[in-house]
Amino acid sequence: NPAKTVQQLRFFRREAFDIVCDFTGNFAGLNMWLAKRAGIPRRIALDRRSSHAFRQSRHKLLYIRLQNKLVFRHATDILSNTQHALDAFFPYWEGGRYDSRFRVISNGVNANFFQNSITRINAREKLGIGNDEFVVGHLGRFDPAKNHATMLQVYRKIVSRVANVRFVYCGLGTDSAEFITLVKNEGLVDRTLCLGTRDDIPLVLRAFDLFYFPSVTEGQPNALIEAMISGLPVLTSDIPTIREAVPEKMHSLLIDPTDVEATELVILALINDEKLQEKHRCQQWATDRYDAERNFKLFADVLFA
């Protein structure tokens, strides 16, 4: 829209900003170019995704390549929370060896928010879950990237083998009519709790015994980070961004996100083996890696350099 593009340029010039930071990542090119034309000295593009958030076509991919070129030419700093995102969107960045503008800064999470005094019993009472149930939980919006279809297939197999298992979904759209219909079609209504959006995530996580997160694509998933910091055993996908998000000791425990049979066997093993559950925990590592004070300071150091 040429008229709005001119309007944006005039806005930048009128406000005389010192810094423009665009969080749309590989769509930031136009703003980086306009900010440079407006004489803004610091122009920061930050990407929190690692794959395209649109249905691809030849024309759309040509457009996004143009945007990326504009970011590369006009941004003073190019940030992401994963190396994989930079590899995917800027294949010529070469690990930042020849261009100091590139930098990976991990998400920051306040561990105190998730390591609190809520007891497992109290959390389950509030959610209506029995203390004798093994709870497999998931946080995430109802979206193809989160792979709910595979989860439901896995759960259908597990209920035929385990009598006291409960599945909990929490996230935008997980209480929608469409999602509940899918649960009904798999015959899982009596075993499933669909919470929708909540503002008491630490309580929800405290009610879980296992966090299952089979995403097929991710940026750097806060839900997984929060589960690790909460001390839960986690079972998650073997995809590049999640390999970055977990400690190296977990790499051999990651799963093919669409392999229903293999995942069923792993979850059954985890239900019955507390020692195996310990191998899937990495609370201290995650608390250190995603320390909010340190990681936000790293971002602030870039912002106000």
Side-chain angles (χ1 to χ4, degrees), residues 17-286:
F17 295 115
D18 297 298
I19 305 166
V20 166
C21 182
D22 191 315
F23 284 80
T24 62
N26 58 354
F27 283 97
L30 184 59
N31 273 335
M32 295 296 99
W33 176 62
L34 292 174
K36 186 174 182 178
R37 288 182 61 85
I40 296 171
R42 299 295 310 287
R43 304 173 298 277
I44 302 170
L46 191 154
D47 207 314
R48 292 170 51 84
R49 297 188 62 91
S50 63
S51 60
H52 296 306
F54 54 83
R55 188 169 296 175
Q56 296 181 27
S57 69
R58 181 173 177 272
H59 293 96
K60 288 179 180 179
L61 290 174
L62 286 172
Y63 174 80
I64 208 67
R65 289 187 191 120
L66 172 61
Q67 287 275 2
N68 286 349
K69 291 292 185 182
L70 290 172
V71 169
F72 186 74
R73 291 189 63 181
H74 302 296
T76 59
D77 299 272
I78 303 171
L79 310 179
S80 178
N81 52 10
T82 67
Q83 179 173 323
H84 179 71
L86 295 180
D87 291 339
F89 297 136
F90 300 96
Y92 34 80
W93 84 292
E94 298 188 16
R97 287 182 298 165
Y98 307 113
D99 194 331
S100 61
R101 295 179 302 159
F102 288 97
R103 188 164 183 182
V104 176
I105 300 177
S106 295
N107 292 355
V109 176
N110 184 352
N112 292 331
F113 190 60
F114 295 93
Q115 299 169 1
N116 49 50
S117 60
I118 301 171
T119 67
R120 179 176 179 271
I121 292 175
N122 288 341
R124 291 191 168 202
E125 284 179 353
K126 290 182 180 294
L127 296 176
I129 299 172
N131 287 322
D132 61 337
E133 294 180 294
F134 189 94
V135 177
V136 181
H138 178 268
L139 303 180
R141 67 190 183 281
F142 178 36
D143 183 275
K146 302 300 181 183
N147 200 16
H148 289 87
T150 296
M151 279 187 260
L152 290 169
Q153 293 178 54
V154 171
Y155 294 164
R156 184 181 61 191
K157 287 178 170 291
I158 289 173
V159 295
S160 66
R161 307 278 295 275
V162 182
N164 64 333
V165 66
R166 175 72 71 97
F167 311 111
V168 178
Y169 290 100
C170 181
L172 181 66
T174 59
D175 58 347
S176 65
E178 181 183 359
F179 184 73
I180 292 172
T181 297
L182 294 177
V183 173
K184 288 180 179 178
N185 290 342
E186 296 291 345
L188 295 169
V189 171
D190 294 338
R191 301 288 191 95
T192 303
L193 187 59
C194 300
L195 297 176
T197 303
R198 304 275 298 205
D199 59 4
D200 55 354
I201 297 303
L203 180 144
V204 173
L205 286 170
R206 191 55 59 98
F208 294 174
D209 292 300
L210 172 66
F211 186 77
Y212 173 37
F213 197 74
S215 296
V216 293
T217 181
E218 281 289 345
Q220 188 170 76
N222 277 338
L224 175 61
I225 294 168
E226 292 163 2
M228 292 190 291
I229 289 174
S230 298
L232 286 169
V234 298
L235 180 63
T236 186
S237 307
D238 190 2
I239 59 176
T241 50
I242 287 182
R243 290 181 78 86
E244 283 189 57
V246 301
E248 189 173 346
K249 73 163 192 172
M250 286 282 295
H251 288 183
S252 63
L253 304 173
L254 301 177
I255 57 170
D256 178 340
T258 59
D259 191 332
V260 174
E261 288 73 20
T263 302
E264 175 203 1
L265 294 176
V266 174
I267 292 179
L268 290 173
L270 284 163
I271 290 173
N272 296 301
D273 190 339
E274 292 186 3
K275 289 184 178 180
L276 181 59
Q277 292 175 23
E278 287 304 310
K279 292 183 179 180
H280 286 255
R281 299 183 201 270
C282 42
Q283 183 176 31
Q284 190 58 56
W285 181 91

Side-chain angles (χ1 to χ4, degrees), residues 1-6 30:
N1 188 316
K4 288 192 174 182
T5 300
V6 171
L30 184 59

